[in-house]
Every structure is written in C-alpha cells, then in structure tokens.
Amino acid sequence: MLQRHFSGTSVKIGVDANRAATAASFLHIHGFINPLDIACFEKLVPKTRVVSDKIGVAILDDGMQHITVSRDFELVTVNASSPWGNKHLLPYGPLREPLTSFDRADAVVIHHADMVPNERLSEIESKILDMNRFISIYRSAMTPARFFKASNMSCKLHLGVICEKIVLCVSAIGSPNSFVQKIAKMGASYVDRLDYSDHHQFQDEDIKMIKARLENLKNKYGSKPTVVVTEKDYDRDSKILGRLDPFEVLVLCCKLQILDHNGCSEESFKKLLTRSLSSTGKI
C-alpha cells in the first residue's frame, strides 16, 4: 500500500523481518543527507524533481524496542480504544514496552481519538503524563476520504455511494471496530461484519464463507449487498477479492488526521519534527 501511495516519489520502502537491518542496508546502499539540506534544495528546484537519491529521514516502524539502534526522535502510538490491554508485555499481552518507557519518548499520538469519549482520552493522557510530564501528546483519527472499486482502481467513488445499501464489512486489521463504525456513519441501511485476525491472508475457504454470508444478506433484505474492505486488506491480496463476483467489492481509502486539541495540531506536530531534526543535524 505504501509503495503504491509513494510511487513516483523519492520515498523508499524497505520490508523485512529485521527492520533495523533493512534500514541499515538502505543507508549503506543509497547514502544519507541532512534532511534540512533537502529542504533548502527543494526551494531551488521544481517539486517534481528528485533532488537526491540519498536518504534524509529513516522511519523505523515498531522501533522502540530496538534499544541498540541510534535514534533522534521517538514517537509512540497508543490505541485509544484499547490503550494498555491487560497491561502485560508480549506474548502475555499487547504491550511491546512497559509503560515506564514513556520517559524515553519524545511524543505520543493517541490514535482513534474520535472513537472514545473525551473523559477516556483525558484518563489516557493523565496516565502518560504520570510517566513523562514533559511529553507532547497528540490525538489522531483515520478520516474516510473515498472508495474505489476493487475490480478497477481507477474507478473512484464518493463516500455517499453506500448510502441506503446493505453492506458487509470484511477486514483483517488490528482495530476492526473503528472501520465498521465509520462505515455505519455513511448512511448504509444495514451493516454486517466479518472480522479476521490482523494480517490474515484470505484463503479459498474464507471466500466461501464471505459469499455464504452475502447470499444470506441478499435473501434476508431482498437486494444484493456490497462488500467493503480496507485499503490495507486490498493491497495484501487484491486478486482473491475478485472471487467474490458477482458481488461488488469497494475499498475504503482513509487519511490520517491530527486533531486539534489544547494547542496541539498538525502544524505544531510538523514543527516538533522539524525542531528535532534541526537540533540533531543528522538522520
């Protein structure tokens, strides 16, 4: 999905089990450049031109636990719907680090902040500040932008296309509730769901189960239902979704939005990142 979104840009995507080693290999192959120098170059050349093939910023997903990796900025994300789980570390719980590790972080983003009450968000923020009272805390949400047809990516549709329709949400993501609730707010007459475990690879038996659920919905409501999947699930295996024919499959595209709260906004978030890079003068 990232490769598709960043196609034609200077962004490089590295995928491997050992992400730190992959990042190191990219830096070795391409070299690196001060990101502030890139900003200066971009003022002098057209934006469509790639100034340098060298890497200016390396972003390591799930990198906090790699304690031997040198880093300039530590950003922690917290799922507002289930921030701490059972408070245990992997494999007994969902945490990759103990909560005390917030004292090593530079900023926190509370994701799916639009899905929980403000009182709950305040509790989460209070817990974080107990660990690091100087940390910057932001709130974010996935904002639906549009649909496209799984059978034809170039066919882009507005969000109102599912209004008054019977919809079956099929997903294999970490937070399916957020996905389903957003679809329900778009005016569908009925929303059903099939949730699979995160990163699940759809198999033939899954397609049979999905088609059986679709047939039941069709018989119950007297109209052909529409399948809606996430963009992440589409890119994991777009071909297998074609086996749901003759049912229409739509893919929901969302954008990450930093929500304004207590002076924290998308603009202040960008400034925080820029200050961090400016103070280090390195990757």
Side-chain angles (χ1 to χ4, degrees):
M1 184 178 73
L2 291 175
Q3 288 173 334
R4 179 163 55 82
H5 277 285
F6 288 113
S7 176
T9 73
S10 58
V11 174
K12 300 170 177 61
I13 308 293
V15 180
D16 204 341
N18 190 332
R19 302 176 188 184
T22 301
S25 69
F26 270 57
L27 290 168
H28 176 74
I29 294 170
H30 300 283
F32 59 89
I33 187 173
N34 190 312
L36 299 179
D37 292 340
I38 293 177
C40 293
F41 290 149
E42 286 181 341
K43 293 179 181 179
L44 303 176
V45 298
K47 290 185 177 181
T48 54
R49 176 182 169 186
V50 177
V51 176
S52 173
D53 192 50
K54 296 180 179 180
I55 295 172
V57 176
I59 302 173
L60 182 62
D61 184 30
D62 292 336
M64 194 174 194
Q65 64 267 35
H66 289 281
I67 59 176
T68 60
V69 175
S70 175
R71 76 287 308 279
D72 301 303
F73 192 85
E74 196 84 80
L75 178 65
V76 177
T77 57
V78 174
N79 185 345
S81 301
S82 180
W84 327 122
N86 59 5
K87 299 184 180 179
H88 286 291
L89 299 176
L90 292 170
Y92 299 107
L95 298 181
R96 297 173 183 267
E97 289 276 333
L99 297 185
T100 52
S101 293
F102 276 118
D103 65 359
R104 294 194 281 115
D106 297 289
V108 176
V109 174
I110 302 176
H111 192 41
H112 296 310
D114 59 328
M115 308 301 295
V116 300
N118 279 327
E119 293 79 7
R120 180 57 176 151
L121 291 173
S122 296
E123 291 174 5
I124 296 172
E125 291 173 349
S126 178
K127 185 73 172 179
I128 295 170
L129 292 172
D130 284 342
M131 306 298 169
N132 184 345
R133 64 190 182 94
F134 299 108
I135 200 168
S136 299
I137 302 177
Y138 295 84
R139 297 179 179 182
S140 68
M142 291 301 290
T143 303
R146 59 180 173 81
F147 290 105
F148 67 79
K149 289 187 177 182
S151 59
N152 182 6
M153 280 185 56
S154 62
C155 184
K156 301 176 182 179
L157 304 169
H158 59 84
L159 297 176
V161 71
I162 65 169
C163 187
E164 299 301 323
K165 286 190 175 182
I166 307 299
V167 174
L168 175 62
C169 294
V170 179
S171 65
I173 56 177
S175 299
N177 286 337
S178 173
F179 167 55
V180 175
Q181 290 179 38
K182 283 179 169 53
I183 294 298
K185 292 179 180 179
M186 295 179 191
S189 60
Y190 181 78
V191 178
D192 198 1
R193 63 192 290 176
L194 275 174
D195 302 337
Y196 293 85
S197 59
D198 196 15
H199 303 296
H200 176 77
Q201 294 283 347
F202 292 107
Q203 306 296 325
D204 289 336
E205 55 266 29
D206 299 317
I207 296 301
K208 291 179 182 178
M209 180 184 295
I210 295 170
K211 294 189 79 168
R213 179 70 68 89
L214 290 168
E215 290 292 347
N216 289 338
L217 289 171
K218 179 181 177 181
N219 294 334
K220 182 176 181 179
Y221 293 98
S223 63
K224 187 183 294 184
T226 298
V227 180
V228 177
V229 300
T230 69
E231 196 172 5
K232 180 181 178 181
D233 290 316
Y234 168 81
D235 278 292
R236 186 178 293 116
D237 192 350
S238 58
K239 292 182 179 179
I240 198 167
L241 295 175
R243 301 180 193 176
L244 293 175
D245 186 72
F247 296 99
E248 183 178 49
V249 181
L250 301 182
V251 182
L252 176 65
C253 299
C254 292
K255 292 183 178 180
L256 179 67
Q257 180 183 8
I258 301 293
L259 306 175
D260 291 345
H261 176 71
N262 286 347
C264 292
S265 62
E266 183 171 342
E267 187 63 29
S268 66
F269 181 68
K270 291 178 180 178
K271 289 181 179 179
L272 177 66
L273 295 177
T274 302
R275 286 198 304 270
S276 174
L277 293 172
S278 301
S279 63
T280 60
K282 57 182 181 179
I283 301 302

